[in-house]
Amino acid sequence: TMEETKATTMNVHLMYLAVISVILLFKVMTETCGQGKGLWTMYSGYFDETIFALSAEDRDIVDDVDDGDEPFIHILQSRFMQHQHQLTDLGLARLRVFQTLTLASIEHQTNHKFLWIIRTDPQLDRLVMNPLLRLITASPLRDRIVVLADNNDPTVFRFDSGHVHSGMILFGNPDLLEHYLYHAVHQKQKYVIETRLDADDGLPHDFIQTVQSEVQNHMRKPTEWVVLCTPNSWEWHLVSPVVSPNNKNVSSFRPFGVMRTHHGSKCISAGMTLAYGTNTTLLHLPKKVQYGRVQDETPPCPPNERDTSSRCTHQLYLEEPYAIRARTPTCTNMKGVGTLQLQPQNRGNNNSALLQGDGDGGDDGDDNTTAHLTVLEQEYGISPLALQETRTYIIQNLVKIAKNNLDGQCKPGHMCNEVTKRVLRPLTQA
């Protein structure tokens, strides 16, 4: 009948439109997100933009990143905005710092034999989550990075990763994650190297290579372990935390911010590494092996056997900085940030000169930033232009960032220390 013919024709047209839509979707996905690797499959529909992981046909890439011949596996662990999904202004500022310092320095590594796990809040605002995942997608290290929707903070990967599974992946290669989990948790035929890297820290270009070489000298027995760390670092400030003799901040007008060196006696968290043997259990490790306190729990390696002994802390690079840390109002730990203050006559103005430090930086060393910029670019892959843009962004959004950070750290049920209040509260009242 005529009605049946019309219905059939309409169905054909609908099928034709569906086929065209699928072809167009395939084209967009492969051209914009494949990055030359072919089609990437979607893992989550929560986000405005498609989030991708390698499809089955591209899993052969694991052969290139398997690290199967090495006697170890190396895992970098970072946390980004965990338990802070609603703090959008703070998250966007931290993302800038992460891109400028952390991601740039890891992309600059000479050795890429590692898996970088980045954990973030599963409910992170999509205004922050989408740019984060686009950033990772565009990275030349994307095949080495797995982003997990996970608010856990594992102390030791082997013993705290039982809950991790491919369904938590927001971005990354599930086969690579499973490969590392298999060797670290199940098979235990390789010793494990774990490096902590906060999302506002950076490491020099030879860090991965140095740590892997050093660890191999220590792993003589299957139950051994060793901690590697450095007490020295660069610090990146918006302005100088040191006030000149005439009581004026000497660096308020520096567009790149201020680089200072910090020399200490205790390990800093940036790049702190724990390595342990194939048969190491929790009973072999210090009772409190949490990264921030591990040096308090372990003796230093004997000077005459510093490069080969185990069950001790081996400090690297005692004479020079070997990490970079942001010391800005985006940080969680405000120690050494120094109190920043908008000059009263110019509140609301976005000019960077409106910031002044109060001399409470608490670090040592010089602030010859201009001379340090070349070192940062060559050794860390950190662009001076990126530093300038990140500094400008933080300053222009300083009030909102400070309010977010204060809300996150001083909300009910959380400890709000005096340093945090002293640094952040004056900025929220501008």
Side-chain angles (χ1 to χ4, degrees):
T1 65
M2 183 68 69
E3 292 181 356
E4 291 176 339
T5 301
K6 289 182 178 180
T8 301
T9 302
M10 183 173 294
N11 288 336
V12 170
H13 287 164
L14 290 174
M15 291 178 62
Y16 176 79
L17 290 174
V19 170
I20 294 297
S21 298
V22 170
I23 292 174
L24 290 174
L25 178 60
F26 180 89
K27 179 178 177 62
V28 169
M29 289 171 68
T30 54
E31 289 183 354
T32 62
C33 301
Q35 300 291 330
K37 297 294 184 183
L39 179 64
W40 297 58
T41 54
M42 182 167 62
Y43 259 72
S44 174
Y46 170 78
F47 307 102
D48 289 333
E49 300 178 16
T50 310
I51 311 309
F52 302 96
L54 284 175
S55 65
E57 65 187 28
D58 290 312
R59 296 293 178 81
D60 57 356
I61 194 173
V62 180
D63 294 337
D64 298 328
V65 296
D66 186 58
D67 304 340
D69 294 334
E70 300 292 351
F72 58 82
I73 58 171
H74 192 169
I75 301 159
L76 274 65
Q77 303 213 62
S78 299
R79 298 176 296 154
F80 182 79
M81 296 298 292
Q82 287 183 316
H83 303 287
Q84 297 178 318
H85 61 272
Q86 78 284 10
L87 304 178
T88 304
D89 292 309
L90 178 62
L92 289 172
R94 285 181 173 173
L95 185 61
R96 293 262 186 160
V97 177
F98 170 78
Q99 179 180 10
T100 301
L101 300 185
T102 313
L103 181 60
S105 73
I106 299 304
E107 289 178 344
H108 198 56
Q109 294 296 308
T110 58
N111 181 331
H112 293 162
K113 294 179 180 179
F114 58 82
L115 168 65
W116 188 6
I117 298 176
I118 303 172
R119 290 175 167 83
T120 191
D121 194 308
Q123 300 181 59
L124 185 63
D125 191 323
R126 66 187 63 190
L127 293 176
V128 182
M129 181 72 85
N130 286 339
L132 169 65
L133 295 175
R134 285 200 302 270
L135 197 63
I136 301 302
T137 303
S139 172
L141 286 181
R142 62 185 174 274
D143 299 324
R144 287 289 184 176
I145 303 173
V146 172
V147 183
L148 297 180
D150 185 12
N151 272 329
N152 288 286
D153 181 18
T155 301
V156 183
F157 186 77
R158 172 174 290 171
F159 310 112
D160 296 327
S161 298
H163 69 288
V164 174
H165 55 85
S166 60
M168 301 167 69
I169 296 178
L170 299 171
F171 175 90
N173 186 335
D175 283 355
L176 186 63
L177 176 63
E178 291 170 6
H179 167 79
Y180 272 74
L181 283 170
Y182 177 72
H183 283 290
V185 181
H186 305 297
Q187 188 186 50
K188 300 181 182 178
Q189 291 185 0
K190 299 173 181 282
Y191 58 85
V192 181
I193 307 172
E194 300 181 26
T195 296
R196 171 176 174 168
L197 181 62
D198 290 343
D200 57 359
D201 295 337
L203 300 170
H205 70 285
D206 60 346
F207 177 87
I208 298 295
Q209 182 62 50
T210 299
V211 164
Q212 291 180 2
S213 298
E214 291 284 348
V215 165
Q216 293 189 61
N217 295 328
H218 292 274
M219 292 292 103
R220 306 289 184 177
K221 298 179 182 179
T223 58
E224 300 292 23
W225 56 266
V226 67
V227 173
L228 289 87
C229 62
T230 181
N232 304 322
S233 66
W234 299 102
E235 293 183 345
W236 179 62
H237 297 260
L238 298 182
V239 298
S240 175
V242 174
V243 175
S244 62
N246 61 359
N247 202 34
K248 293 182 179 180
N249 187 292
V250 297
S251 303
S252 294
F253 295 91
R254 293 188 178 178
F256 303 104
V258 175
M259 293 301 307
R260 294 177 56 80
T261 54
H262 173 81
H263 296 275
S265 59
K266 289 192 174 183
C267 294
I268 60 173
S269 61
M272 185 172 285
T273 297
L274 171 68
Y276 47 91
T278 56
N279 295 335
T280 303
T281 69
L282 281 176
L283 295 177
H284 296 111
L285 296 172
K287 292 181 180 180
K288 295 181 180 179
V289 75
Q290 293 157 355
Y291 288 112
R293 301 181 59 185
V294 68
Q295 190 177 6
D296 297 333
E297 302 291 331
T298 61
C301 294
N304 58 333
E305 300 177 356
R306 192 168 66 92
D307 296 331
T308 58
S309 56
S310 59
R311 303 196 177 199
C312 56
T313 297
H314 179 182
Q315 288 193 349
L316 302 170
Y317 293 87
L318 301 179
E319 304 299 328
E320 58 185 286
Y322 204 62
I324 180 171
R325 300 186 294 170
R327 310 308 301 145
T328 74
T330 62
C331 296
T332 299
N333 181 359
M334 290 293 158
K335 184 178 180 181
V337 173
T339 302
L340 298 176
Q341 178 176 351
L342 292 174
Q343 295 181 17
Q345 69 271 27
N346 291 307
R347 292 185 186 276
N349 191 319
N350 287 332
N351 192 297
S352 63
L354 304 184
L355 285 175
Q356 58 183 17
D358 69 349
D360 192 31
D363 61 330
D364 55 2
D366 62 84
D367 62 353
N368 189 10
T369 300
T370 303
H372 297 333
L373 290 177
T374 301
V375 175
L376 289 180
E377 191 163 24
Q378 292 178 350
E379 299 294 326
Y380 292 80
I382 295 173
S383 162
L385 177 60
L387 280 176
Q388 180 178 356
E389 292 176 344
T390 298
R391 178 180 185 269
T392 300
Y393 180 88
I394 294 174
I395 290 172
Q396 290 179 344
N397 296 276
L398 196 55
V399 175
K400 294 185 293 185
I401 292 168
K403 285 180 178 178
N404 260 194
N405 205 355
L406 193 63
D407 289 344
Q409 296 198 49
C410 297
K411 62 184 178 182
H414 288 68
M415 294 183 63
C416 182
N417 61 52
E418 292 301 318
V419 176
T420 297
K421 291 186 286 188
R422 177 170 54 78
V423 173
L424 295 177
R425 278 185 176 171
L427 298 174
T428 65
Q429 298 167 2

